[in-house]
Amino acid sequence: AAAAAARLPTHFEPRVAAVAVPERTLVHVPAAQLRAALVEHTALLTDGVVSHMHVHGNASAADDGAMYALHMSDGELARLREVGLHAERVHDEDAAYVAELRAAGHFNGSMSAAGAVYADGAGGGRKRDAPVSALGDEAPAKYHNYVDLQRFMEKVRSECADIAHVGSIGETVQGRDLFVVRLTDNPNIEERNEPQVKLVGNMHGDEVVGREQLINLIRYVCQNYKTESRVRQLVENLDIYIIPTMNPDGYELGRRENAHGVDLNRNFPDQFLMPDFDEDDPPTGERLRLERETEHIMEWSLKRRFALSANLHGGAVVANFPFDGNRRRRSGSVSRTPDDQLFRLLARTYAESHTEMRRSRQFRGGITNGAGWYVLYGGMQDWNYLWTGDMELTLELSYRKWPRAATLPAYWRENKPSLFAFLDLATRLGVSGHVRDADTNEGLEARVYVVPRARGHWVQTNKATGEYFRLLLDGTYQLRAVAPGYESETVTVVVPPSQAVRLSVNFSLQPLGGGSRRKK
């Protein structure tokens, strides 16, 4: 044990210095005025002047006196005033708390070796002399810096090896690992007949509640797999991948952007920014300046072919679904996917188990279409859907972006049932099966479409096995499997209401020209 403790990291030195970004301040802008201005001055959104807008508190944008809360630089604030908007600077409690954490040595330090700083909820902190036990309390009232996260991953690797595999999908600009924890009953082999799902947190470095929820989720699954049937069912029927932080550099810098000063949720290829976009052959994005973190997520997601996923944010409380953009570049104008009703079910499932989200006054039922809220371009959820067939939500979990650590256990109590309800959908919803060569019975790299195409986007099979998973609502569907060099096949599927078990639907494709396209 002493030797293992000696191997645990106590410090991290960034590989390169971060690019400076303008300091931002919190401002309140009258909601009605801002929404009207965004209709006429769309560049305020497309230029990133307004990057995240939410109504202050749990209020409706239609309420008299409702204010949007925005974090803006002096230059961005000047742009608002140029179009006649009144913006009032207000005290930023999150920025003050980040300053406290920085003064306490939380960022880029070696706190795990010296004792973890816990917030006392009143502006100070207290120290605990012993190192943090990574698989200790279910929901500790603390934030994990990068060194803490490294140590947590080592603990998961050593104490949860029967159902967990710890890895990294690559390194950030400053050299930090993008850790991923795989949770499944056979974590060291390629699972069959289990849909792959993923949860990603902390895409914006200063939106930190989701990061801690995912650390809690990993801990909870590891600690309760053998004793709690709900946990065991998910582990035995899903292949779960969790990335607690996609932007660890931004976290250590205490800011939204990565070390290059780029907003990662504006950095993905986007259909509305590509005149040559074709949903059957989406451009790879090689002409774009993609950040290292974005490239790692894209490459990993294209290899994995996830069926369901969510990325966890902060600054509002709502379950948000695609599309985030529209061709008119107009906020408040709903932009529906072919799977709009399915996305609404996914979002409702999360929101209905979350008391504050469900009771939202800003968003009916606690859910919203992305563009129906405000448009953005280069977002991750739209890319996942169009480029990989993955059904992804953006979950906003807290009005405060960086609430005091003392409040974190309450966030876990609020989100735990929603996370389990959301993951459970992938165990039973829709259909799964294989697309195979009719002559050799080998799996094919293929796509499975809903016909007509207006009813749903394609999903891709596993390249090696031909296995696919497709979430569907109840109803009658025509599914078509298509693979290069093969005749397509179409089958009719009836998905029952209140589906309890995923249906099995297999395809056997005949080679064109009478010969198999795969080696016999």
Side-chain angles (χ1 to χ4, degrees):
R7 291 196 301 270
L8 293 176
T10 60
H11 185 72
F12 178 83
E13 192 67 38
R15 183 177 298 160
V16 297
V19 174
V21 298
E23 288 192 17
R24 289 185 168 84
T25 187
L26 180 63
V27 300
H28 285 175
V29 183
Q33 292 181 26
L34 181 58
R35 294 198 75 89
L38 292 176
V39 172
E40 184 177 354
H41 304 283
T42 58
L44 291 175
L45 279 164
T46 55
D47 291 349
V49 176
V50 176
S51 59
H52 186 282
M53 47 189 282
H54 68 275
V55 177
H56 176 61
N58 185 14
S60 168
D63 288 351
D64 290 340
M67 293 283 184
Y68 276 118
L70 307 169
H71 287 85
M72 313 197 80
S73 67
D74 289 344
E76 292 165 345
L77 191 54
R79 286 279 300 274
L80 281 192
R81 288 168 174 164
E82 285 174 6
V83 300
L85 286 172
H86 171 72
E88 177 186 358
R89 295 179 190 266
V90 296
H91 174 66
D92 189 342
E93 294 183 25
D94 291 340
Y97 184 50
V98 170
E100 287 181 26
L101 291 174
R102 183 170 287 113
H106 178 67
F107 301 112
N108 285 319
S110 53
M111 284 176 47
S112 288
V117 170
Y118 280 66
D120 64 6
R126 58 184 176 87
K127 289 192 173 181
R128 189 172 72 177
D129 294 331
V132 176
S133 175
L135 296 183
D137 297 342
E138 177 180 334
K142 79 172 294 288
Y143 285 108
H144 293 73
N145 65 15
Y146 182 68
V147 172
D148 291 331
L149 188 61
Q150 288 177 299
R151 294 169 69 88
F152 176 80
M153 292 299 168
E154 289 298 331
K155 283 287 189 178
V156 172
R157 186 178 281 125
S158 64
E159 298 183 16
C160 194
D162 52 340
I163 62 165
H165 180 271
V166 177
S168 170
I169 66 169
E171 291 185 347
T172 67
V173 172
Q174 291 191 317
R176 295 180 177 88
D177 276 307
L178 294 174
F179 288 114
V180 58
V181 177
R182 182 188 185 198
L183 296 169
T184 189
D185 51 346
N186 295 292
N188 297 307
I189 65 172
E190 196 68 26
E191 291 274 50
R192 301 290 176 89
N193 301 315
E194 293 184 5
Q196 296 179 343
V197 299
K198 77 172 185 290
L199 300 170
V200 177
N202 199 210
M203 185 182 195
H204 290 140
D206 64 346
E207 297 174 12
V208 296
V209 170
R211 173 185 174 117
E212 298 302 325
Q213 303 314 298
L214 295 184
I215 292 172
N216 290 342
L217 180 61
I218 295 167
R219 181 189 297 109
Y220 191 87
V221 170
C222 284
Q223 291 179 330
N224 294 279
Y225 164 65
K226 294 180 180 179
T227 59
E228 191 171 321
S229 60
R230 174 182 59 170
V231 176
R232 190 164 55 252
Q233 179 187 5
L234 293 180
V235 170
E236 293 179 351
N237 291 283
L238 295 177
D239 199 359
I240 305 168
Y241 294 78
I242 300 176
I243 296 181
T245 173
M246 181 182 163
N247 188 7
D249 293 355
Y251 178 93
E252 300 296 331
L253 294 163
R255 72 188 194 192
R256 179 183 183 90
E257 302 87 353
N258 75 343
H260 279 161
V262 175
D263 184 333
L264 296 179
N265 206 33
R266 306 294 186 276
N267 192 232
F268 284 78
D270 193 295
Q271 61 172 332
F272 297 114
L273 302 180
M274 294 180 164
D276 58 345
F277 179 78
D278 178 353
E279 70 171 288
D280 282 331
D281 187 22
T284 60
E286 69 273 3
R287 289 172 292 176
L288 303 177
R289 294 189 61 182
L290 301 179
E291 289 300 300
R292 184 173 298 173
E293 297 89 346
T294 308
E295 288 180 333
H296 290 322
I297 285 284
M298 288 172 57
E299 181 180 358
W300 176 64
S301 297
L302 287 166
K303 286 180 180 177
R304 280 280 144 209
R305 298 297 180 185
F306 295 99
L308 178 68
S309 63
N311 70 91
L312 280 56
H313 288 244
V317 178
V318 65
N320 175 30
F321 53 90
F323 289 126
D324 276 328
N326 55 45
R327 298 208 176 277
R328 295 191 297 165
R329 304 197 172 193
R330 178 167 294 183
S331 293
S333 180
V334 171
S335 184
R336 293 181 175 86
T337 70
D339 287 287
D340 183 67
Q341 291 304 311
L342 175 57
F343 270 120
R344 290 176 182 275
L345 172 68
L346 301 178
R348 282 199 306 272
T349 298
Y350 198 93
E352 285 173 357
S353 295
H354 190 292
T355 304
E356 188 166 18
M357 197 176 289
R358 161 175 96 242
R359 295 174 178 174
S360 172
R361 295 189 61 241
Q362 183 179 0
F363 305 102
R364 179 177 297 178
I367 71 173
T368 185
N369 171 263
W373 181 11
Y374 67 93
V375 294
L376 67 86
Y377 299 91
M380 185 163 70
Q381 71 174 7
D382 286 12
W383 179 84
N384 269 299
Y385 177 66
L386 289 172
W387 268 257
T388 76
D390 178 14
M391 309 292 292
E392 175 159 301
L393 301 183
T394 299
L395 301 173
E396 303 272 358
L397 302 184
S398 58
Y399 294 111
R400 292 275 303 278
K401 292 192 174 188
W402 212 307
R404 291 192 172 275
T407 67
L408 289 175
Y411 284 108
W412 173 241
R413 289 192 296 272
E414 191 79 276
N415 284 281
K416 181 170 70 171
S418 292
L419 286 166
F420 278 99
F422 181 73
L423 290 172
D424 177 66
L425 292 173
T427 69
R428 57 183 176 79
L429 211 60
V431 301
S432 64
H434 291 81
V435 181
R436 294 189 170 100
D437 183 307
D439 292 342
T440 68
N441 207 36
E442 292 184 10
L444 296 176
E445 183 176 10
R447 284 180 179 171
V448 177
Y449 293 85
V450 178
V451 182
R453 301 282 290 280
R455 293 193 66 190
H457 191 55
W458 50 260
V459 295
Q460 189 87 20
T461 64
N462 181 295
K463 185 176 181 178
T465 66
E467 188 175 41
Y468 78 94
F469 296 88
R470 190 17 162 130
L471 303 185
L472 291 169
L473 296 174
D474 60 281
T476 301
Y477 296 88
Q478 298 251 297
L479 299 182
R480 179 174 297 160
V482 178
Y486 291 82
E487 296 180 5
S488 63
E489 181 182 2
T490 303
V491 300
T492 299
V493 178
V494 179
V495 179
S498 303
Q499 185 180 12
V501 179
R502 192 171 54 245
L503 299 181
S504 178
V505 180
N506 295 308
F507 296 86
S508 183
L509 304 190
Q510 293 289 342
L512 293 172
S516 175
R517 301 306 182 203
R518 299 288 294 266
K519 291 182 180 180
K520 298 185 179 182

